[in-house]
Amino acid sequence: MQNQDFYDDFTNEDNEGLNFREQFEKYIIYWKWFLLSVVLGLLCSFVYLQYATSRYEATTTILVKDEKKGSMLSQLSMFSDLGFGSNMKSNVDNEIEILKSRTLVEKTIQKLNLNVTLYIKRTLNDQDIYGEAPIKVFFVNKSNLFDESEMGLKLKFLSPNTFTLEDVANEDESMLVSNKKEYKYGEKILTSIGTFIVEKTVFFEKKSSDKFKPIYIAVKPLDDIAMTFQKSLRVEPVSKTSSVVSLSVSDPVSQKAKDFLNTMVQIYNRDAAEDRNLISENTSTFITNRLILISEELSGVEQHVESFKKINQLADIESQAKLFIDGSNEYNKKGVETEIQLNVVSSLLDFLKKSNNSDLLPTNLISDQGESSSLMNSYNQLVLDRNRILKSATAENPAVLKLNEQISSLKSNISQSLKQAQSNLQIKIRDLKGQEGILKNKIEKIPLQERQFRVIERQQKVKEELYIYLLQKREETTISLAATEPNARVIDVAKEEKNPISPKKKIVYLAGILLGLIIPYGIIYTRDLFDTKIKSKLDLDGNTQIPFIGDIPTFDNVKELIKSESRDSSSEALRIVRTNLEFMLNSVPQNVAKTIFVTSTFAGEGKTLLSANLAATFALSGKRVLLIGMDIRSPKINELMAVTNIGLTNYLSSNEQNIQEYIVKHKDYKDLYVLPAGVIPPNPAELLMSSKIDELFIQLKKKYDYIIVDTAPVALVADTLLIAKNADAFAYVIRANKLDKRMLSFANSLYKEKKLPNMCIVLNDTVSSKGYGYGYGYNEVKKKKKWF
């Protein structure tokens, strides 16, 4: 068991180290097919590049306004305090979707008339002559079905001024309405989808008209053209932090791709401006209508204010109210002063009645310095004169009497004057109270008038502010309409690539090489995938635990046994197998023969040939070897060894006790003996179950060093299992490319159940293209191979 474990470890390490190399060598033997396939792949790539339609890419970059990222491309920021530009908000994500929209693509196609194509016929592909055509075609009157129709015309040049048209796309019905055969440049040509005109271009004069090839005019549905451009259009932001967007489109004609991008950006900006202008125009119309209405309402309110002021005789309520209050206070003050004077006059009258000729009258109590004051001053002077005279005379003095008369007369006049003054003051008081009443009445009306006026004033103020606001917004809208800026600013105008983006030569040639490698690889892999046969030791790894002692390449000549001078790969492989068998038989005692049984799963796996050559190999090493044919149902030993077929079965079916009479010495080997299978018996199983078999092996093991036994296939008959107990080792032969991998389970079950002692596997008939390194140059004649 130690030897077996040692061998298992050895083979496992070897397989792990050589696994990649084995896989490589598995395919490298077909290098000629790989080389041929690669050459064909490169040839196909070359042909494809010659006839494939090249596509060129044009690219442009634009800066899109984006309020999220603070894009400041607006030149109208000076009007931001007016609120201008607040309705122009956008963001890059939305604008990208608009740029990729089918509607924008269709508008661009219609603007450039790209659904009308001019091309020249070629062998494998047609050549679009956009931008280089000697003529141009444009429709002046399109029908409703134009964008959905398809038309094909063939234009042939007749002369510098005439040409012919032929319908080529519609076999059932002609698109041409007129039956004319010749047309002139600039002439209107009627078709079922509209009227078109053919005109010359600058390229027409560069070449004679009779040298121009026929030009085909193709009108295709707008949906088809739009789908083509939409698929090739790429709109991507340059980075996440910027508002710069890159637009690119590919087309077989680089000029068409460039024109498409430039026109699309123009239409995009125009549509964005129209959208903003539409809003501004609607806003302007609304504001104008409102201004007219507000103006009328404001005029009515102002007339109402005017009427209110006229009716109430008001100029300014606040000022007039102040005047009324001041006037009322003044009249009240004057009334009080007048009443005081009236009381003073009444008091003077009472004093005057009670006074005598010697009493003086007060002169400073009356503010009015009129007649009463002068009379009172005169009266007081007379009283003073009388009193001065009485100091020196009597009351009967004539001067005194005269003065008394004058004083009495003057007192009467003063009384009349004071009464007149009293009457005047009473009249004045009544007048002042009347004027004060009028002012108080007006003051009482002021709160009501003020409230009424504030209602009217409030309406007037609201109308005025609304009118001013609308005037301001009308000016803002006018500025917006007059200074509409583009939604996107072009950073780099569209520019086409000089080299086509497809097909790329390097990629196409690389694809040809890869395809050239993949096809034969795929074929070989598929073949191996569906081929369940065991081919090499790699197929045994992981599928069985039975020790593997070697593989033997295909024999050059199956009718010849190994010789001492043999140096081919098969001979060297047999010597390795012999050596490995020696390791597995170390536990057999030295004084008895080492018995090796050779079997297989099915017939035809080379067990008989291996048995014979193993026997020859051991014999060449100087050992006495006996080869026994125990496949008594289908004996082959006698044919291979060129001996008579009288042997084992004859011995077992007779009473003969001497087996030596049936053993034949091989004429070409000194120590090789053969016991043929003998005649095919009717009861092979019974013969092998005979006790003579055990006695036979006991007897033979004493006379030989090695006994090689060719047995029957174990999967077909039970013969081998009946005699397996006499074996020291079993060489289980598996023929490459013959035994199915699934049959390994049968061999594994024999090994696990130990029905075959000391079982090991020999792989037979393997491919020897690797060379195995056998021979080492000893007397080996090497054939010089040709380069291929």
Side-chain angles (χ1 to χ4, degrees), residues 592-612:
V592 296
K594 297 177 180 179
T595 307
I596 303 171
F597 280 30
V598 181
T599 187
S600 62
T601 307
F602 301 108
E605 294 195 59
K607 62 179 181 55
T608 303
L609 182 62
L610 180 62
S611 301

Side-chain angles (χ1 to χ4, degrees), residues 52-53 65 342 359 396 428 555 636 697-698 754 788:
T53 301
K65 286 195 289 291
L342 180 60
D359 294 330
E396 298 296 332
K428 185 177 179 181
F555 288 94
K636 297 289 181 61
F697 277 102
I698 293 173
K754 299 182 179 181
F788 57 83

Side-chain angles (χ1 to χ4, degrees), residues 144-212:
N144 295 330
L145 300 176
F146 178 81
D147 291 336
E148 302 174 3
S149 303
E150 187 172 359
M151 181 180 73
L153 300 175
K154 181 179 180 181
L155 185 147
K156 292 184 178 179
F157 297 91
L158 295 180
S159 68
N161 297 317
T162 60
F163 59 88
T164 62
L165 286 176
E166 178 184 351
D167 200 318
V168 296
N170 298 276
E171 299 179 357
D172 299 333
E173 182 181 357
S174 176
M175 303 293 287
L176 293 169
V177 177
S178 175
N179 293 324
K180 291 177 63 176
K181 294 184 178 179
E182 292 187 10
Y183 300 90
K184 294 182 180 180
Y185 296 102
E187 178 183 352
K188 293 184 177 180
I189 303 171
L190 298 178
T191 68
S192 59
I193 61 174
T195 303
F196 71 92
I197 297 175
V198 179
E199 291 187 349
K200 300 177 183 178
T201 65
V202 293
F203 296 96
F204 190 91
E205 306 298 336
K206 295 182 179 180
K207 200 173 183 180
S208 177
S209 59
D210 56 351
K211 295 182 179 179
F212 284 125

Side-chain angles (χ1 to χ4, degrees), residues 97-109 222-228 230:
E97 294 304 318
I98 294 174
L99 287 166
K100 293 193 295 186
S101 66
R102 186 180 185 85
T103 301
L104 184 59
V105 172
E106 289 180 351
K107 287 182 180 179
T108 307
I109 293 171
L222 180 62
D223 285 346
D224 296 345
I225 304 298
M227 186 179 297
T228 301
Q230 200 171 18

Side-chain angles (χ1 to χ4, degrees), residues 670-683:
K670 176 181 178 182
D671 297 313
L672 179 57
Y673 299 86
V674 180
L675 175 59
V679 180
I680 299 175
N683 55 344

Side-chain angles (χ1 to χ4, degrees), residues 357-377:
N357 291 337
S358 59
D359 294 330
L360 291 174
L361 296 177
T363 57
N364 58 346
L365 296 178
I366 300 175
S367 60
D368 185 9
Q369 298 298 325
E371 182 181 3
S372 298
S373 297
S374 62
L375 290 175
M376 292 175 70
N377 290 329

Side-chain angles (χ1 to χ4, degrees), residues 60-63 261-262 265-266 269 486 488-494:
T60 183
T61 52
I62 61 175
L63 177 64
L261 287 181
N262 288 332
V265 174
Q266 293 175 2
N269 279 329
R489 188 173 72 197
V490 177
I491 298 176
D492 291 323
V493 296

Side-chain angles (χ1 to χ4, degrees), residues 92-127:
V92 172
D93 295 334
N94 293 339
E95 300 308 313
I96 286 177
E97 294 304 318
I98 294 174
L99 287 166
K100 293 193 295 186
S101 66
R102 186 180 185 85
T103 301
L104 184 59
V105 172
E106 289 180 351
K107 287 182 180 179
T108 307
I109 293 171
Q110 290 173 333
K111 178 72 178 294
L112 294 174
N113 202 28
L114 296 181
N115 55 336
V116 179
T117 307
L118 304 180
Y119 63 92
I120 298 174
K121 284 282 187 181
R122 283 190 170 184
T123 305
L124 293 179
N125 54 359
D126 300 331
Q127 180 185 359

